[in-house]
Amino acid sequence: MRVVIFGAPGVGKGTQAKLLSGKLKVPHISTGDILRHAATSGSLLGKKAKTIMDAGQLVSDDIMNGLIKPVLSSPKCKDGFILDGYPRTVAQAAALTKLLDDLKTRLDKVINVKLGDEEIVRRLSMRLSCKNCGRIYNIQFDMLADTKECLNCGGPLYQRDDDKEETVRKRLNVYHETTAPVKEYYEQMGLLKEIDGDGDPEMINSEILTALQFS
Ligand code: AMP
């Protein structure tokens, strides 16, 4: 199963991709996680990426296409993958089509998770992520101890720098201007399926699984 989970920042792409990855037994590939990992490692690419990410902007297509190619070509992705955060521009979508053509395969489905901007701003201001395992929490709904440790691995929970309201609004502008046109690209390929992102994550995941089964 080769799937793209698409949508604005904060619609729950990461949560949905993680759930699907566990159920379908294919790797979850998050370009945001790859960049954040590079940033913590202190590499030159990581440092550059962090400045761009903290400003709510997009890392260049060349860098992103170069970054994703070895991952999707690797043996771990040979039976499928759940892509989260890529492609984010029409040029990246075209590069992905070309890469999959070269690998003699294609996408099965692109799931567009929909949510209104104000709900996104509200959600992201309450989001905490685990520094170790990447699990995502909601300050309001998840029962977290004052120590703010991950319930999964005990790792420290933190608010991403780019989840501050001002940066979230910039990321939403970038999404509407540059990323949203990717939907039409996949609509024309007959791959797009829209899912409402407002609701219980497990219920949304069942809807996605149903959409994938009937693809
Ligand atoms: P995410 O975790 O998917 O929200 O990504 C966090 C940030 O990483 C984004 O706001 C971008 O700055 C950068 N990023 C992740 N994926 C891409 C991509 N495909 N193209 C450009 N920038 C990206």
Side-chain angles (χ1 to χ4, degrees), residues 31-32 35-36 53 57 59 64 85-86 88 92 160 171:
T31 45
L35 293 172
R36 278 184 290 279
M53 288 159 83
Q57 301 295 329
V59 175
M64 295 314 300
Y86 181 93
R88 259 181 158 97
Q92 290 179 16
R160 282 169 41 176
R171 289 163 69 200

Side-chain angles (χ1 to χ4, degrees), residues 78-202:
K78 94 176 164 21
D79 294 326
F81 50 77
I82 311 293
L83 256 183
D84 155 19
Y86 181 93
R88 259 181 158 97
T89 65
V90 173
Q92 290 179 16
L96 177 61
T97 304
K98 162 89 175 57
L99 171 62
L100 295 178
D101 273 355
D102 291 347
L103 295 170
K104 307 227 169 331
T105 186
R106 62 193 294 278
L107 289 175
D108 293 293
K109 208 94 200 153
V110 175
I111 303 289
N112 176 34
V113 186
K114 292 188 306 178
L115 202 62
D117 282 7
E118 289 314 311
E119 175 61 14
I120 288 175
V121 174
R122 203 182 65 81
R123 270 196 195 184
L124 288 186
S125 67
M126 293 191 296
R127 173 161 87 171
L128 290 181
S129 312
C130 172
K131 267 223 151 80
N132 272 352
C133 71
R135 185 163 158 184
I136 296 158
Y137 292 91
N138 179 298
I139 301 172
Q140 194 181 5
F141 300 123
D142 292 317
M143 304 292 282
L144 297 169
D146 290 343
T147 44
K148 301 251 174 7
E149 280 164 1
C150 177
L151 303 174
N152 194 30
C153 72
L157 303 186
Y158 77 113
Q159 183 182 41
R160 282 169 41 176
D161 287 337
D162 59 349
D163 278 351
K164 312 247 155 74
E165 178 169 345
E166 197 194 328
T167 314
V168 169
R169 293 204 182 270
K170 278 192 204 142
R171 289 163 69 200
L172 282 171
N173 284 342
V174 170
Y175 169 79
H176 290 299
E177 276 172 24
T178 314
T179 305
V182 174
K183 275 186 286 185
E184 277 130 57
Y185 178 90
Y186 285 124
E187 183 130 62
Q188 279 169 14
M189 289 174 82
L191 290 176
L192 196 72
K193 172 76 189 169
E194 311 238 307
I195 297 279
D196 186 353
D198 196 8
D200 171 61
E202 278 293 350

